[in-house]
Amino acid sequence: MVESSVETIESTEKKSKDLTIKECVHPLPNNCFPLAHQVAGHFFGKGRTKLGLLQTQDGLVLKPVQSPPRGEREHNFFKRLFLSDESELNQDEIALRSLCPTYRGSLIHNDIVYIKMDDIAYGFKHPTVIDYKIGRITYDPEASQEKIARQIKKYPPVEKIGFQLIGMRVFNQEDATFRHYDKSFGRNLSEDELIHGLALYYQFHQTPQIRAIKETIRKFEEIKVWFEKQRTYHFYASSLIVIYEAYLEDTLNEYLKHSTESKENELNNNDLMLANCLSSVRIVMADFAHVFPANDTIDANYLYGLTRLIEYLKFLISPEYKFQDVRIKDRNRIKN
């Protein structure tokens, strides 16, 4: 995928469905088409295998199982977490279920095994999406020296920053389009510029989505509490996916404006609508191909990255933060 691309709201789903005809290297399962709001990972019709994430009309995502041992490790992780009886799991694993997309079994189509899981963007009208890869170490304990060297070279600042921006879908209110920024954009941002990449996702170039940021921080801190206690798994090259409605701030402002003019019973209704809007900020952990036993130790690598990400977001809503538009840098890179 190119570093950034523009899509209208109307064209997004049509473009994904068109791929089922134009780039159908692997015949797709019935009623499936390429995931319209995907921002990172393997894209259907791209790369060496041409395999990628798919979606269904009824709110599922299908992820092709990777080659062993990565694919088997991820699939076994899902099956243990969601197919095991609670008596077979420890308290860490039971709590972890709520942080992951729900596993809905598997599907074999043309000898390709797909993991089926809930699509957390299902029901959204205009989902804005970002994919954070968490941890300053992105290679697992089984990685070769060559693999370690390649991973370190990809984005050296991650050693200090603790996370990477590897893809996002940013909304532009002026012309009602989304712009897709991939991992090349994120890795081209310096340590000082990364904060402005996060601000771009939260629409500081138009209407800053402050409430979405606050809700993201709140949910990240809940995940952090789990990581401060759990000693079951270590997660390498794993992601946190954040999704919120593009018009969230404008919608909430309308609700709050209306609530000041309402009677008490109407005010309660608006409070309920406010809560419903904030619940549309959804976050899940993703990418479990490099999950290893923790051997009764804290996952310090993941915890460091998550803590740093929370710090970045808190600075984003502080009076000290001044937005700089890194879209200019993106345009200059494409031009050159």
Side-chain angles (χ1 to χ4, degrees):
M1 187 175 183
V2 295
E3 283 122 352
S4 68
S5 58
V6 180
E7 60 190 51
T8 64
I9 293 173
E10 294 79 7
S11 71
T12 304
E13 187 172 311
K14 181 178 184 300
K15 181 176 66 176
S16 292
K17 291 180 178 178
D18 286 347
L19 280 173
T20 65
I21 299 174
K22 296 178 181 178
E23 301 185 26
C24 196
V25 178
H26 299 280
L28 299 182
N30 291 336
N31 302 315
C32 290
F33 51 95
L35 184 61
H37 48 271
Q38 183 178 353
V39 297
H42 300 287
F43 291 81
F44 178 80
K46 309 291 183 181
R48 180 177 57 84
T49 68
K50 308 298 183 184
L51 293 171
L53 296 177
L54 307 176
Q55 69 181 91
T56 68
Q57 297 281 14
D58 55 352
L60 293 181
V61 166
L62 275 63
K63 181 176 184 177
V65 173
Q66 301 177 65
S67 58
R70 295 175 301 166
E72 292 176 353
R73 187 184 297 124
E74 180 169 45
H75 201 184
N76 288 336
F77 172 84
F78 270 113
K79 288 190 287 187
R80 172 166 177 78
L81 211 59
F82 288 98
L83 298 185
S84 300
D85 188 87
E86 285 196 1
S87 62
E88 303 175 79
L89 304 175
N90 63 32
Q91 292 304 308
D92 291 343
E93 292 172 305
I94 292 172
L96 180 58
R97 284 176 169 176
S98 65
L99 306 180
C100 302
T102 301
Y103 175 68
R104 301 296 182 181
S106 61
L107 171 71
I108 301 176
H109 181 75
N110 280 21
D111 297 326
I112 299 169
V113 181
Y114 294 88
I115 296 171
K116 298 194 298 183
M117 67 189 88
D118 284 351
D119 179 1
I120 66 165
Y122 184 64
F124 277 58
K125 293 182 178 179
H126 313 304
T128 59
V129 186
I130 193 167
D131 187 323
Y132 299 105
K133 183 176 287 187
I134 306 298
R136 50 186 168 184
I137 298 173
T138 58
Y139 49 87
D140 66 41
E142 295 180 353
S144 65
Q145 289 301 313
E146 293 78 9
K147 172 77 169 180
I148 292 173
R150 288 198 305 271
Q151 289 296 316
I152 293 174
K153 186 178 180 180
K154 285 180 179 179
Y155 190 57
V158 74
E159 173 68 22
K160 180 178 179 181
I161 295 171
F163 65 92
Q164 299 179 58
L165 192 170
I166 62 169
M168 62 182 182
R169 187 174 189 249
V170 178
F171 187 64
N172 182 21
Q173 291 184 8
E174 293 180 358
D175 54 6
T177 60
F178 285 96
R179 182 173 287 274
H180 229 147
Y181 297 86
D182 73 355
K183 61 185 178 183
S184 298
F185 173 79
R187 288 172 178 166
N188 195 56
L189 298 174
S190 68
E191 181 181 337
D192 294 333
E193 292 170 330
L194 181 60
I195 185 70
H196 306 306
L198 305 189
L200 179 60
Y201 170 66
Y202 287 105
Q203 302 184 49
F204 275 64
H205 58 296
Q206 43 199 12
T207 304
Q209 304 294 300
I210 302 301
R211 292 182 181 88
I213 299 173
K214 290 180 177 179
E215 187 66 7
T216 301
I217 292 171
R218 186 186 71 79
K219 293 186 175 182
F220 276 172
E221 288 180 333
E222 290 178 352
I223 297 173
K224 182 183 174 185
V225 168
W226 182 81
F227 270 95
E228 289 172 336
K229 296 177 180 178
Q230 76 94 12
R231 289 172 168 78
T232 302
Y233 295 114
H234 283 186
F235 297 81
Y236 300 93
S238 185
S239 291
L240 282 169
I241 311 295
V242 180
I243 300 180
Y244 71 90
E245 280 284 7
Y247 290 104
L248 178 61
E249 194 75 15
D250 294 325
T251 303
L252 291 178
N253 285 337
E254 283 296 315
Y255 286 157
L256 293 175
K257 178 182 177 182
H258 178 65
S259 70
T260 62
E261 304 166 354
S262 301
K263 297 177 182 179
E264 184 175 352
N265 63 329
E266 293 175 334
L267 178 60
N268 291 336
N269 289 335
N270 278 283
D271 287 343
L272 180 60
M273 285 188 282
L274 177 67
N276 288 338
C277 280
L278 288 178
S279 70
S280 71
V281 179
R282 300 177 189 170
I283 299 174
V284 293
M285 296 175 62
D287 300 326
F288 306 113
H290 303 278
V291 177
F292 285 77
N295 298 319
D296 202 32
T297 61
I298 289 289
D299 190 349
N301 176 54
Y302 195 106
L303 195 53
Y304 174 85
L306 180 55
T307 300
R308 291 283 286 146
L309 178 52
I310 292 171
E311 290 172 355
Y312 268 75
L313 293 176
K314 287 182 176 179
F315 178 65
L316 203 57
I317 56 176
S318 71
E320 291 76 25
Y321 176 68
K322 305 299 179 186
F323 175 60
Q324 294 181 24
D325 195 346
V326 288
R327 291 179 299 170
I328 298 173
K329 182 170 185 176
D330 178 62
R331 287 194 294 268
N332 289 339
R333 185 175 70 255
I334 294 173
K335 188 183 299 183
N336 294 333

